[in-house]
Amino acid sequence: MDAIAEIKKIYYAATKATIQKDLERANALGARIRLVKGAYREPKSVAYQLKADVDDAYLRLAKRLLTEGVYPAIATHDPEILDAVQRFAGERRIAQDAYEFQMLYGIRRDLQNAFRDAGYRVRVYVPFGREWFPYFMRRLGERPANVAFVIGSLVKER
């Protein structure tokens, strides 16, 4: 069966059981999963509110994908999570070509280059089409912390 890309946003606490079932089903099918750390502000009823809770949920699923999944995509710019994923994979001797890191073009190019230079696979996404600018502005507007993140990313590259 051809690989199927599936996106799950880890911000959503209320869907934990659904995400676990989807993960099991996708792994059983041999589908590829792109694990995305959400960057949107959502109400408490559906989303973790604390960064630590979001990070814990993301890492829990990332570890499961690394050990049970088919060429998972770890999509985040968070250096602590990226470091934890690298450590986990290294401790379990998971080959660097058994998964990939995914990041947006222009965000943390230093990390993208460092991963590539260390032998990891890195996929860089480029927003395109007519709606790229409204998409970008919506992401910034929905969560003002994203503005600081983008600016911080640019400063870290200098």
Side-chain angles (χ1 to χ4, degrees):
M1 170 177 225
D2 290 336
I4 300 168
E6 184 172 321
I7 299 174
K8 291 292 179 190
K9 290 196 178 182
I10 301 312
Y11 243 102
Y12 298 100
T15 60
K16 182 178 177 182
T18 301
I19 290 173
Q20 292 293 336
K21 287 179 186 174
D22 288 349
L23 182 77
E24 290 169 11
R25 206 168 30 248
N27 283 343
L29 291 171
R32 291 180 52 199
I33 295 177
R34 177 176 188 247
L35 189 63
V36 179
K37 185 176 175 193
Y40 301 103
R41 182 164 305 283
E42 298 290 347
K44 287 182 189 177
S45 61
V46 297
Y48 294 116
Q49 299 297 302
L50 300 177
K51 181 183 182 310
D53 294 336
V54 174
D55 290 353
D56 288 345
Y58 189 95
L59 280 172
R60 192 170 45 254
L61 290 173
K63 290 174 180 180
R64 188 157 178 205
L65 284 171
L66 288 167
T67 57
E68 301 172 19
V70 177
Y71 194 74
I74 306 301
T76 181
H77 299 92
D78 186 317
E80 287 90 21
I81 288 196
L82 294 167
D83 185 55
V85 166
Q86 282 182 290
R87 276 194 323 273
F88 179 84
E91 291 165 359
R92 280 152 186 82
R93 294 190 170 105
I94 298 169
Q96 290 179 339
D97 64 356
Y99 61 99
E100 68 183 36
F101 294 112
Q102 296 184 351
M103 298 179 182
L104 288 168
Y105 178 79
I107 307 293
R108 295 308 309 260
R109 287 179 293 196
D110 57 327
L111 290 176
Q112 295 168 17
N113 291 331
F115 285 134
R116 182 203 61 218
D117 293 346
Y120 291 94
R121 293 182 177 179
V122 179
R123 187 176 310 260
V124 178
Y125 280 83
V126 179
F128 67 95
R130 289 186 210 170
E131 300 301 318
W132 78 267
F133 188 72
Y135 163 81
F136 181 71
M137 294 308 292
R138 186 185 80 238
R139 289 197 63 173
L140 293 179
E142 287 178 352
R143 187 167 172 128
N146 289 340
V147 174
F149 176 77
V150 170
I151 292 169
S153 175
L154 296 173
V155 170
K156 288 177 185 173
E157 290 188 23
R158 304 259 176 224

